[in-house]
Short mmCIF file of all heavy atoms in Angstrom, two decimals:
data_model
loop_
_atom_site.label_atom_id
_atom_site.label_comp_id
_atom_site.label_asym_id
_atom_site.label_seq_id
_atom_site.Cartn_x
_atom_site.Cartn_y
_atom_site.Cartn_z
N ARG A 326 26.13 -22.93 4.64
CA ARG A 326 26.20 -23.38 6.02
C ARG A 326 25.51 -24.67 6.27
O ARG A 326 24.60 -25.09 5.57
CB ARG A 326 25.47 -22.25 6.87
CG ARG A 326 26.22 -21.00 7.00
CD ARG A 326 25.57 -20.00 7.94
NE ARG A 326 26.53 -18.92 8.17
CZ ARG A 326 26.84 -17.93 7.28
NH1 ARG A 326 26.17 -17.85 6.17
NH2 ARG A 326 27.69 -17.02 7.63
N HIS A 327 25.92 -25.31 7.31
CA HIS A 327 25.22 -26.64 7.77
C HIS A 327 23.76 -26.37 7.90
O HIS A 327 22.93 -27.06 7.45
CB HIS A 327 25.86 -27.04 9.07
CG HIS A 327 25.31 -28.28 9.59
ND1 HIS A 327 24.18 -28.31 10.40
CD2 HIS A 327 25.65 -29.58 9.36
CE1 HIS A 327 23.91 -29.62 10.68
NE2 HIS A 327 24.73 -30.37 10.01
N THR A 328 23.45 -25.30 8.63
CA THR A 328 21.98 -24.83 8.72
C THR A 328 21.93 -23.44 8.07
O THR A 328 22.47 -22.38 8.52
CB THR A 328 21.64 -24.60 10.22
OG1 THR A 328 21.92 -25.86 10.89
CG2 THR A 328 20.21 -24.34 10.42
N PRO A 329 21.30 -23.43 6.84
CA PRO A 329 21.32 -22.10 6.16
C PRO A 329 20.52 -21.04 6.93
O PRO A 329 19.51 -21.30 7.51
CB PRO A 329 20.46 -22.46 4.86
CG PRO A 329 20.52 -24.00 4.78
CD PRO A 329 20.60 -24.45 6.15
N MET A 330 21.11 -19.87 6.98
CA MET A 330 20.47 -18.66 7.56
C MET A 330 21.12 -17.45 7.08
O MET A 330 22.32 -17.45 6.66
CB MET A 330 20.45 -18.79 9.09
CG MET A 330 21.71 -19.07 9.82
SD MET A 330 21.44 -19.07 11.67
CE MET A 330 21.23 -20.82 11.93
N PRO A 331 20.43 -16.31 7.20
CA PRO A 331 20.98 -15.02 6.71
C PRO A 331 22.17 -14.64 7.56
O PRO A 331 22.43 -15.16 8.73
CB PRO A 331 19.86 -14.01 6.86
CG PRO A 331 18.57 -14.83 7.11
CD PRO A 331 19.05 -16.15 7.67
N PRO A 332 23.06 -13.73 7.04
CA PRO A 332 24.32 -13.46 7.74
C PRO A 332 24.20 -13.06 9.20
O PRO A 332 24.96 -13.60 10.04
CB PRO A 332 24.86 -12.22 6.88
CG PRO A 332 24.17 -12.39 5.55
CD PRO A 332 22.88 -13.04 5.81
N GLU A 333 23.42 -11.99 9.51
CA GLU A 333 23.39 -11.64 10.94
C GLU A 333 22.75 -12.71 11.85
O GLU A 333 23.19 -12.80 12.96
CB GLU A 333 22.55 -10.34 11.05
CG GLU A 333 23.38 -9.12 10.61
CD GLU A 333 22.75 -7.79 10.94
OE1 GLU A 333 21.50 -7.73 10.88
OE2 GLU A 333 23.40 -6.79 11.17
N ALA A 334 21.78 -13.47 11.31
CA ALA A 334 21.22 -14.52 12.10
C ALA A 334 22.24 -15.61 12.49
O ALA A 334 22.34 -16.06 13.57
CB ALA A 334 20.06 -15.12 11.41
N ALA A 335 23.17 -15.83 11.50
CA ALA A 335 24.23 -16.82 11.73
C ALA A 335 25.17 -16.33 12.73
O ALA A 335 25.53 -17.04 13.69
CB ALA A 335 24.91 -17.11 10.37
N PHE A 336 25.59 -15.09 12.60
CA PHE A 336 26.45 -14.42 13.59
C PHE A 336 25.82 -14.52 14.99
O PHE A 336 26.51 -14.92 15.97
CB PHE A 336 26.73 -13.03 13.28
CG PHE A 336 27.18 -12.21 14.47
CD1 PHE A 336 28.52 -12.37 14.94
CD2 PHE A 336 26.39 -11.38 15.07
CE1 PHE A 336 28.93 -11.68 16.07
CE2 PHE A 336 26.78 -10.65 16.18
CZ PHE A 336 28.05 -10.81 16.76
N ARG A 337 24.58 -14.11 15.08
CA ARG A 337 23.92 -14.08 16.41
C ARG A 337 23.81 -15.43 17.07
O ARG A 337 24.02 -15.65 18.22
CB ARG A 337 22.56 -13.45 16.28
CG ARG A 337 21.97 -13.06 17.75
CD ARG A 337 20.82 -12.19 17.66
NE ARG A 337 20.12 -11.95 18.82
CZ ARG A 337 20.43 -10.94 19.76
NH1 ARG A 337 21.38 -10.15 19.49
NH2 ARG A 337 19.74 -10.85 20.86
N ALA A 338 23.58 -16.43 16.17
CA ALA A 338 23.59 -17.88 16.74
C ALA A 338 24.96 -18.15 17.26
O ALA A 338 25.04 -18.80 18.41
CB ALA A 338 23.16 -18.83 15.52
N GLY A 339 26.00 -17.82 16.64
CA GLY A 339 27.33 -18.04 17.11
C GLY A 339 27.61 -17.36 18.37
O GLY A 339 28.20 -17.92 19.36
N LEU A 340 27.25 -16.07 18.51
CA LEU A 340 27.46 -15.31 19.68
C LEU A 340 26.61 -15.90 20.89
O LEU A 340 27.09 -15.86 22.00
CB LEU A 340 27.11 -13.84 19.42
CG LEU A 340 27.47 -12.84 20.58
CD1 LEU A 340 28.90 -12.89 21.03
CD2 LEU A 340 27.09 -11.42 20.18
N GLN A 341 25.39 -16.30 20.49
CA GLN A 341 24.62 -16.90 21.61
C GLN A 341 25.25 -18.20 22.13
O GLN A 341 25.26 -18.38 23.45
CB GLN A 341 23.23 -17.23 20.99
CG GLN A 341 22.19 -17.85 21.96
CD GLN A 341 21.50 -16.70 22.80
OE1 GLN A 341 20.81 -15.86 22.20
NE2 GLN A 341 21.65 -16.82 24.10
N THR A 342 25.86 -19.01 21.31
CA THR A 342 26.60 -20.12 21.79
C THR A 342 27.70 -19.78 22.77
O THR A 342 27.85 -20.31 23.85
CB THR A 342 27.28 -20.86 20.47
OG1 THR A 342 26.18 -21.30 19.72
CG2 THR A 342 28.10 -22.03 20.96
N LEU A 343 28.50 -18.72 22.41
CA LEU A 343 29.48 -18.21 23.26
C LEU A 343 29.00 -17.66 24.54
O LEU A 343 29.51 -17.90 25.64
CB LEU A 343 30.38 -17.10 22.53
CG LEU A 343 31.09 -17.56 21.25
CD1 LEU A 343 31.74 -16.38 20.58
CD2 LEU A 343 32.13 -18.60 21.53
N ARG A 344 27.95 -16.85 24.43
CA ARG A 344 27.31 -16.22 25.62
C ARG A 344 26.92 -17.32 26.65
O ARG A 344 27.21 -17.28 27.80
CB ARG A 344 26.12 -15.38 25.16
CG ARG A 344 25.29 -14.77 26.26
CD ARG A 344 25.80 -13.44 26.74
NE ARG A 344 26.53 -13.57 27.96
CZ ARG A 344 27.19 -12.57 28.55
NH1 ARG A 344 27.34 -11.36 27.95
NH2 ARG A 344 27.85 -12.69 29.69
N ASP A 345 26.15 -18.29 26.13
CA ASP A 345 25.61 -19.32 27.06
C ASP A 345 26.71 -20.12 27.69
O ASP A 345 26.68 -20.44 28.85
CB ASP A 345 24.64 -20.24 26.24
CG ASP A 345 23.39 -19.45 25.85
OD1 ASP A 345 23.11 -18.42 26.35
OD2 ASP A 345 22.69 -19.98 24.94
N ALA A 346 27.72 -20.45 26.85
CA ALA A 346 28.75 -21.28 27.41
C ALA A 346 29.61 -20.58 28.41
O ALA A 346 30.00 -21.06 29.43
CB ALA A 346 29.68 -21.79 26.25
N ALA A 347 29.87 -19.28 28.15
CA ALA A 347 30.62 -18.46 29.11
C ALA A 347 29.83 -18.27 30.38
O ALA A 347 30.39 -18.34 31.47
CB ALA A 347 31.04 -17.12 28.44
N ASP A 348 28.55 -18.04 30.19
CA ASP A 348 27.72 -17.78 31.45
C ASP A 348 27.74 -19.08 32.33
O ASP A 348 27.81 -18.98 33.54
CB ASP A 348 26.29 -17.46 31.00
CG ASP A 348 26.10 -16.00 30.70
OD1 ASP A 348 27.05 -15.23 30.97
OD2 ASP A 348 25.07 -15.60 30.08
#
Side-chain angles (χ1 to χ4, degrees):
R326 290 187 165 75
H327 181 273
T328 309
M330 52 180 94
E333 284 188 326
F336 159 75
R337 192 167 172 89
L340 185 57
Q341 184 80 59
T342 298
L343 299 174
R344 173 86 258 171
D345 293 344
D348 279 348

